[in-house]
């Protein structure tokens, strides 16, 4: 399929050439698209868009105003810093968490 596509492109190129193939090849509409200024604009855009994005989103002010609050919303600080070290402490913590979850569900059902 790639060979057929390249043959189509080559045939389009040769059939679009003027009959007197001389210096008028660059006056053909296939060769004159938007000119050098358009290419310069596109290349500048392609190069500086990622640089600008990295600059803007990498600013400390953007990080403080946007990223840190979003991070705190996603990962709230834990109130318990003492993690259990034994099986008994694990069971006690599990019972506390289950009781807390049941209380939250009861509050939700009472509110609705």
């Amino acid at each position: 399929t790639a060979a057929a596509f390249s043959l189509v492109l080559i045939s389009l190129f040769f059939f679009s050439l003027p009959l007197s193939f001389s210096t008028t090849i660059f006056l053909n509409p296939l060769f004159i698209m938007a000119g050098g200024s358009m290419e310069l604009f596109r290349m500048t855009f392609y190069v500086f868009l990622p640089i600008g994005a990295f600059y803007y989103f990498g600013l400390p002010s953007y990080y403080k105003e946007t990223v840190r609050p979003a991070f705190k919303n996603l990962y709230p600080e834990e109130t318990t810093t003492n993690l259990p070290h034994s099986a008994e402490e694990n069971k006690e913590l599990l019972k506390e968490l289950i009781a807390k979850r049941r209380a939250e569900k009861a509050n939700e059902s009472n509110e609705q």
Side-chain angles (χ1 to χ4, degrees):
T1 58
F5 182 70
S6 61
L7 286 175
V8 168
L9 287 179
I10 291 170
S11 64
L12 284 175
F13 172 75
F14 282 114
F15 287 122
S16 66
L17 292 176
L19 293 177
S20 61
F21 184 70
S22 61
T23 59
T24 60
I25 185 171
F26 294 109
L27 299 177
N28 191 331
L30 285 177
F31 291 100
I32 301 175
M33 291 187 203
S37 60
M38 180 65 176
E39 292 299 319
L40 183 64
F41 170 75
R42 287 176 54 200
M43 194 62 192
T44 306
F45 185 76
Y46 294 153
V47 169
F48 285 107
L49 179 71
I51 293 173
F54 279 119
Y55 175 76
Y56 177 74
F57 293 113
L59 288 174
S61 60
Y62 179 82
Y63 184 79
K64 288 177 189 173
E65 296 169 2
T66 309
V67 176
R68 292 197 61 160
F71 185 82
K72 286 180 182 177
N73 288 340
L74 286 174
Y75 305 106
E77 295 179 9
E78 294 185 28
T79 57
T80 58
T81 56
N82 299 329
L83 296 176
H85 295 289
S86 66
E88 295 172 0
E89 293 175 357
N90 254 349
K91 289 178 184 177
E92 291 174 11
L93 182 62
L94 182 61
K95 287 178 184 177
E96 291 174 12
L97 290 174
I98 290 173
K100 184 179 175 182
R101 190 175 296 158
R102 286 181 182 161
E104 288 176 359
K105 284 185 180 180
N107 287 340
E108 288 177 6
S109 63
N110 289 339
E111 291 175 0
Q112 293 176 356

